Amino acid sequence: MKKILIVSAAILTSVAVMPLFAAFEAHVINVTAEIENALFVHPESLRFGTVFPQEYLKSSFFIAFSESFSRDDQRRVGTVEYVIKQKPKPREDTPEERTWCHDNEPENIGDPNDPYYDRCYPLLCAYLSKEPDGTPEPGNDTGVPPFHDPNDPSSWAIGKLVKFDENGNTIGNDPADTWTVDLAVPCFEGHCAQDWADFVHSHNPDADPNLYKLPNGLEHEVFGCDLWVEVTSIH
């Protein structure tokens, strides 16, 4: 019984005097960091204008290190890895509208009066390829052909920029990527040419041509897609 009382007294004493010790001395460690983007993407938009079924059009965009990452005195990390995803495009480009378009879908995809289309464009993503530039040879990026499932992670293009290697060497580095975006224009159901299947397979041999015909009700509509460049690793 005495041992229990002694232990209890010791605990009470420790609790009572700890604030007194803490009050005698204090130290502050200031922590700051300047947070910058690692990549620069140009241009911010690609416009194909009015197009027609089975046309094949090309555009491109450029990805490079940001100004902060490119500075000579920035030698701590030398590689940025990223993916290019495709997501529904809102008619009003705000974070709230982007989230809404990503989290919802039309009840009737072929009805231009579906409430979804009041806030989001009909989806163009499946018909856009992302082709890497192939440099430095043999290339360190992975592209995606048109006629794919935009929601499947296997349809994400993969890129990598290298400022210097693990030894600090800049020979054979890859400071920028140019991506070619091809638009393989789809046809409308009931109005596809006889060589529609050949057109699809010429750009993606694994695609099912029947899955990529557009509903007739969407003719004359403007279609859209947001390409998202997301950094996955910096090292």
Side-chain angles (χ1 to χ4, degrees):
M1 186 65 178
K2 289 183 179 179
K3 290 183 178 179
I4 295 175
L5 291 174
I6 292 171
V7 172
S8 298
I11 293 174
L12 291 172
T13 301
S14 297
V15 172
V17 299
M18 279 180 65
L20 297 178
F21 290 139
F24 286 126
E25 188 171 334
H27 299 273
V28 176
I29 300 175
N30 292 310
V31 180
T32 62
E34 182 179 353
I35 301 175
E36 300 278 0
N37 288 323
L39 297 180
F40 168 77
V41 180
H42 181 79
E44 293 183 350
S45 63
L46 303 176
R47 299 182 183 275
F48 286 101
T50 301
V51 297
F52 302 95
Q54 292 185 222
E55 279 194 293
Y56 189 68
L57 307 167
K58 292 188 176 185
S59 188
S60 63
F61 65 95
F62 179 78
I63 300 178
F65 291 124
S66 66
E67 183 178 353
S68 298
F69 201 100
S70 300
R71 287 199 312 248
D72 288 341
D73 59 356
Q74 195 294 105
R75 305 290 297 177
R76 188 174 60 82
V77 287
T79 300
V80 176
E81 299 180 27
Y82 62 91
V83 297
I84 305 173
K85 301 179 181 180
Q86 49 273 314
K87 298 184 180 183
K89 180 175 182 58
R91 295 185 183 274
E92 183 181 354
D93 192 15
T94 65
E96 294 76 18
E97 288 299 292
R98 287 192 214 108
T99 299
W100 192 91
C101 290
H102 299 169
D103 293 343
N104 294 275
E105 58 185 23
E107 293 184 7
N108 183 351
I109 193 172
D111 180 6
N113 296 315
D114 189 289
Y116 179 84
Y117 296 134
D118 291 338
R119 302 174 67 171
C120 317
Y121 287 99
L123 199 60
L124 186 66
C125 299
Y127 309 101
L128 299 175
S129 76
K130 276 73 68 182
E131 297 180 4
D133 54 18
T135 58
E137 294 184 354
N140 58 357
D141 308 316
T142 303
V144 178
F147 304 114
H148 59 262
D149 179 0
N151 297 316
D152 189 337
S154 66
S155 296
W156 299 348
I158 301 173
K160 182 179 182 180
L161 297 182
V162 180
K163 181 178 180 180
F164 50 79
D165 62 20
E166 60 273 12
N167 298 317
N169 193 341
T170 60
I171 297 176
N173 65 346
D174 185 17
D177 287 333
T178 298
W179 289 88
T180 299
V181 177
D182 302 337
L183 170 58
V185 184
C187 62
F188 293 96
E189 292 176 343
H191 299 279
C192 295
Q194 290 184 344
D195 62 349
W196 165 247
D198 294 335
F199 175 75
V200 173
H201 289 149
S202 68
H203 300 294
N204 187 347
D206 297 325
D208 181 351
N210 293 320
L211 296 179
Y212 297 98
K213 298 176 182 179
L214 291 174
N216 284 321
L218 296 182
E219 188 176 0
H220 308 303
E221 296 296 313
V222 176
F223 292 73
C225 177
D226 278 343
L227 300 182
W228 283 49
V229 180
E230 298 184 5
V231 173
T232 57
S233 178
I234 301 177
H235 55 91

